[in-house]
Amino acid sequence: MKRVFAFALLAAIGAFSVATAAVRDPIEGAWSFKTGAFDNGCVLTGQLMVMPKKGGVYSCQIKAREVCPAIKASGVEIAPKIDITADEVCVLTAQGNRVTIKSKVVRAPPQMPYLPDDFSLQIKDASHMEGDFLSQEVLAKAVFYRGPDVIS
């Protein structure tokens, strides 16, 4: 009888612990992302790290890699392939299932002007967001997902 009572008590404690566990914020944590092609076939990939919410907004960091193919005209290369990596800090705001990311470049190769990577997204579920990549005049589709790093 003591064993049955002890087992029932442990089961109740376990159920209570699961019921009172903190609910995970669906936005916080690590995300990988990839854009569709823009500007003659360029693609942006990277990682987004979202920190806990403070004062109604999230702070975040982006590590981005932009790869653009060489541009040729009449078989002659007129612009070389571009492969650059940049580090950015950002602010993420969420309202309902809409997410906006506004960033600021903190490190990029000095020989290449690099514009901040901004996004307007819709949360699809806890591991998937999609929407638009907005960087000055650039507009491409973007997909964010939880999973392996996409920066090589």
Side-chain angles (χ1 to χ4, degrees):
M1 184 66 136
K2 287 183 182 179
R3 284 188 182 173
V4 172
F5 177 74
F7 179 75
L9 181 61
L10 287 175
I13 290 171
F16 178 75
S17 297
V18 170
T20 59
V23 175
R24 179 177 176 198
D25 185 304
I27 297 172
E28 286 179 23
W31 293 84
S32 295
F33 66 88
K34 183 175 183 176
T35 69
F38 60 92
D39 285 350
N40 298 311
C42 297
V43 175
L44 183 72
T45 59
Q47 280 196 310
L48 167 73
M49 178 58 74
V50 181
M51 277 51 105
K53 192 174 187 178
K54 290 182 182 173
V57 297
Y58 299 87
S59 61
C60 50
Q61 297 175 340
I62 294 175
K63 183 165 184 79
R65 180 179 182 205
E66 184 175 340
V67 177
C68 303
I71 300 174
K72 295 182 180 182
S74 302
V76 177
E77 187 175 289
I78 59 172
K81 176 182 177 180
I82 297 172
D83 187 344
I84 57 176
T85 302
D87 293 324
E88 301 170 68
V89 293
C90 50
V91 172
L92 183 150
T93 55
Q95 191 167 31
N97 68 343
R98 302 294 307 170
V99 170
T100 302
I101 300 170
K102 296 286 187 186
S103 65
K104 177 182 175 185
V105 178
V106 294
R107 189 195 61 77
Q111 70 276 16
M112 296 287 296
Y114 193 90
L115 301 174
D117 299 317
D118 297 333
F119 299 90
S120 176
L121 306 165
Q122 182 175 12
I123 300 170
K124 296 298 186 178
D125 58 45
S127 62
H128 179 215
M129 298 187 288
E130 61 183 49
D132 297 318
F133 164 52
L134 312 163
S135 182
Q136 298 287 43
E137 297 174 12
V138 174
L139 175 63
K141 291 299 177 189
V143 176
F144 282 67
Y145 53 93
R146 297 200 190 265
D149 185 359
V150 292
I151 293 181
S152 324

